[in-house]
């Protein structure tokens, strides 16, 4: 589709923007579907983000877009309205310019993660789930998992105050009791059906393992949210121990369609 006067514009806010995958993914889909849309990378520094967003509010054919590093937290503060994923995480990875320029943001890491699990036939019915780590990703996953028919999700973390904060936020955003904090030394790893690493351990080659796979039950599914390397040391150890694994890349791959719906990208 050639860009014309009728083309609708979508963007990705990034800094830098060389590594972003969204424009290629979305533009290929626009082409395949014959939709008169375009997604362009916006490489804007944190210093200029607010001015940039403000000026975009007045552009009637600029519909919204994706938000990535380092803007996810700052752009949440510029939004007029936040969806549940953004409220739970304090971070936004998709924004939509609604009529009269109001900015609506949400975070789809949690829905992407859950959709990926389901599509890989990992049932959530009555499952006991452990999330190790208490950063933004932990919040996103926990706040979505409690919406599923799970038994419970437990959060453990090196710093217990951050784990307690995740529990408190998810309880208040989702009005649920299916989440609790467990001190690290009291975690009984063998009881969990699904264990998720949401710490940054595994990003670097020499990182210690976030979880000792020998302590897990034989039917446990081990998940990582780290995307690079695709096969983290944790997942490799889990596979060697004969456990099922679930890769970090699925969280991103499975949220693209949710983001597209939210920003209205694939509407002809
Ligand atoms: P994100 O927002 O991407 O989830 P983050 O906020 O930086 O990332 O959170 C990183 C998580 O990895 C935290 O839970 C952190 O534990 P602390 O809250 O105690 O800092 C965890 N983490 C990082 N390095 C760790 C280490 N060496 N041992 C244990 N946990 C670690």
């Amino acid at each position: 589709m050639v860009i014309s006067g009728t083309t609708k514009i979508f963007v990705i806010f990034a800094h830098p923007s060389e590594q972003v995958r969204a424009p290629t993914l979305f533009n290929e889909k626009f082409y395949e579907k014959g939709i008169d849309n375009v997604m362009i990378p916006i490489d804007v520094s944190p210093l200029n983000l607010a001015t940039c967003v403000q000026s975009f509010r007045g552009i009637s054919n600029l519909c919204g877009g994706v938000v990535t590093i380092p803007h996810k937290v700052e752009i949440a503060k510029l939004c007029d309205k936040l969806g549940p994923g953004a409220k739970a995480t304090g971070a936004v990875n998709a924004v939509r310019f609604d009529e009269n320029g109001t900015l609506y943001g949400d975070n789809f890491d949690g829905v992407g993660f859950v959709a990926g699990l389901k599509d890989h036939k990992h049932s959530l019915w009555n499952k006991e789930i452990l999330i190790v780590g208490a950063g933004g990703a932990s919040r996103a996953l926990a706040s979505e998992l409690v919406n599923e028919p799970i038994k419970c999700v437990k959060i453990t973390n090196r710093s217990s105050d951050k784990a307690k904060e995740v529990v408190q936020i998810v309880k208040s955003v989702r009005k649920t009791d299916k989440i609790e904090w467990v001190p690290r030394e009291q975690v009984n790893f063998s009881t969990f059906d699904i264990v998720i690493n949401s710490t940054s351990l595994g990003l670097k080659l020499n990182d210690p393992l976030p979880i000792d796979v020998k302590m897990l039950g034989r039917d446990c599914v081990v998940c990582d949210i780290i995307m690079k390397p695709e096969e983290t040391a944790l997942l490799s150890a889990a596979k060697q121990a004969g456990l099922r694994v679930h890769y970090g890349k699925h969280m991103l791959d499975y949220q693209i369609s949710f983001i597209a719906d939210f920003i209205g990208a694939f509407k002809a």
Side-chain angles (χ1 to χ4, degrees), residues 133-137 157-159 162 198-201:
N157 190 43
R158 176 176 63 178
S159 318
K162 277 175 73 184
S198 80
T199 73
S200 44
L201 292 175

Side-chain angles (χ1 to χ4, degrees), residues 1 7-8 10 27 30 35-39 264-267:
M1 186 73 74
T7 303
K8 287 197 188 118
F10 293 84
N27 288 321
F30 295 151
I35 303 175
D36 187 12
N37 289 349
V38 65
M39 180 175 281
F266 297 154
K267 276 194 299 197

